[in-house]
Every structure is written in C-alpha cells, then in structure tokens.
Amino acid sequence: MERSGRASGRIRAALIDIDGVLTVSWKPLPGAVEAMARLRSAGLPLALVTNTTSRTRAVLAGRLADAGFPVDADDILTAPSVTAGYLREHHPGARCLLINSGDVGDDLDGVTVLDEGSDETPDVVVFGGAGSAFGYEALNAAFRHLQGGARLVAMHRNLYWRTAQGLDLDTGAFLLGLERAARVEAEVTGKPAQAFFATALAHLGATPDETLMVGDDIESDVLAAQRSGITGVLVKTGKYLPETHRAADGTPDHVIDSFADLPALLELPAP
C-alpha cells in the first residue's frame, strides 16, 4: 500500500466509486463487503458515486445489497441522476434525444426524453453509456442533429471500463469522434466534472478538505476529485493500469491495492 502520510484525522466523509472498486461485473471484489461494513460501523458518512448509466439508483442499490453491501438508494449518486438535475437547470423544457445502453428513465425525472423513432427534432443530444445503442444509425442521427444546432450533453467521457471478460470500450471513444466531426464540445455532467463532485459533497453535507474519493480511474475519479480539493485515493483494481498511472498528469494522494485496504488507511478500529 503506497501512501503519502495517513488519511485519518481530518477525513469525515467518503465518496466511493462502484464499478472496479467495490465490484467487477457486479461480483464483490475480495474484502470489499467487509471494508464497507467497517466504514459503516465507524459512522463515516459516505456516498457511492458512479458513472454507471445502465441501471437506476434503485436497481444498483438492490444489486449491491444482494451482494452484501450495507447501502440503499439514498447512498448512491449516478451520472444519470446528476444529468437530470443539470438538464433541468441549464436546458429547462428541452426535448432530449437519449443515446444510452440501459434503462435509466426513473432517474431522469423532469426531463423530456423523445421516444425512439420520434419525428421531433431534439434540442439536446444526451450521451449515456456505450453499448448496442451506439450503432452507426444512432450516431449519425446525433451528428446531423448537432449540425442542425442541437446541444451535446454527455453523462461521462470514460474511454473504457472493466468487465469480467476484460476492458470494454465506453462512451468517450465515440464522443471524441463526434465532437471533432460536428465541431462541438460536449457538456459533461458525470465524473470528472467538478459540478458532479460539488453535488456529491452537498449530498453528504461535507466540505472538500474533510472528504476523500476512492476510485480506479486516476483521471476521472482521483485527480478530478483532487482538483476539487478532495483527497484522492487510487485503487489498483478495476480499470487500473500501471502505464496509465505512470502517464497521468498528477499524483494521487494515496495509492492502495484495493478497497479492502481503506479501513487501514483511515486507521479504523478492527471489528
């Protein structure tokens, strides 16, 4: 476990990524359930913050609870739920074309999402998570709408994520090409957007200097959190790659082998 000093003392709250930190393909990583239980026993306020776009907060909470994690839907902030708030504030009443692999409708309260095959022209093209929905026809339609003046909002720009079969392409791989072709820049609402971290801190009622962020993505999770004044903890699980770590533009405050090591980093008492 690499660290630059201990994180205990001033830390009063935790932000925790899910995929690659707590689970991979929804199977708990070794020691993760026990580590979460220790954080709960210590009374540490926490929020699970994820760019996952394939499931609603309620479904995520159910899957995690079934796996043994002591969490519920109120503990979870997703890119879709934060995106809904962003759209309501910055694009009120906009007709949105959603391109996303997964059903997150319940987390898009107050957002007008056009039905598939609708003849209406969208005001905003919204990118969620990559998958089968990101075919040529859908991407080309988005390209044409952007050429016609629609705005582009992306729930995240992650390039890939870890599955049980290995790394899979994610939204960012498609988003970069679309931005260049349409000569637009996406408004990103999930991690690494600072607004996402501000929402998470407000959810916990915590300040940046007393909060840490645990993630497997050095750029979107860790360094982005540090730019918001949050202590960054990188885990060597999930999408972690040594070469990405070495090439990063910054240095995490702490590097640990896995989430199972977090209680020791925080010097939490043994159960």
Side-chain angles (χ1 to χ4, degrees), residues 12-52:
R12 298 287 183 270
L15 304 176
I16 304 164
D17 187 26
I18 298 175
D19 194 22
V21 176
L22 301 180
T23 66
V24 168
S25 293
W26 301 106
K27 292 184 178 180
L29 287 165
V33 171
E34 294 78 8
M36 179 68 75
R38 287 182 64 182
L39 266 61
R40 286 298 200 195
S41 295
L44 189 74
L46 57 87
L48 307 186
V49 290
T50 176
N51 277 349
T52 297

Side-chain angles (χ1 to χ4, degrees), residues 51-185:
N51 277 349
T52 297
T53 55
S54 59
R55 295 170 175 85
T56 63
R57 295 166 63 235
V59 171
L60 290 175
R63 293 291 294 271
L64 291 170
D66 288 345
F69 290 100
V71 299
D72 58 35
D74 289 338
D75 297 316
I76 300 174
L77 288 176
T78 65
S81 64
V82 172
T83 299
Y86 179 89
L87 290 169
R88 291 193 299 266
E89 179 179 356
H90 296 278
H91 300 287
R95 296 166 297 183
C96 299
L97 173 64
L98 175 64
I99 302 177
N100 181 61
S101 293
D103 182 7
V104 293
D106 288 347
D107 282 349
L108 295 176
D109 183 53
V111 177
T112 301
V113 178
L114 298 179
D115 294 333
E116 186 175 352
S118 172
D119 292 331
E120 292 188 69
T121 301
D123 304 302
V124 181
V125 174
V126 181
F127 266 28
S132 59
F134 278 60
Y136 177 82
E137 184 176 347
L139 292 174
N140 195 50
F143 173 57
R144 289 179 174 176
H145 290 310
L146 294 174
Q147 288 180 303
R151 303 293 291 272
L152 178 60
V153 171
M155 295 185 187
H156 63 79
R157 56 167 67 250
N158 294 352
L159 293 172
Y160 50 81
W161 81 94
R162 172 74 65 179
T163 72
Q165 289 73 43
L167 296 177
D168 282 357
L169 283 177
D170 207 346
T171 303
F174 302 93
L175 186 63
L176 287 168
L178 188 62
E179 286 178 314
R180 183 170 180 180
R183 296 184 178 86
V184 300
E185 183 174 349

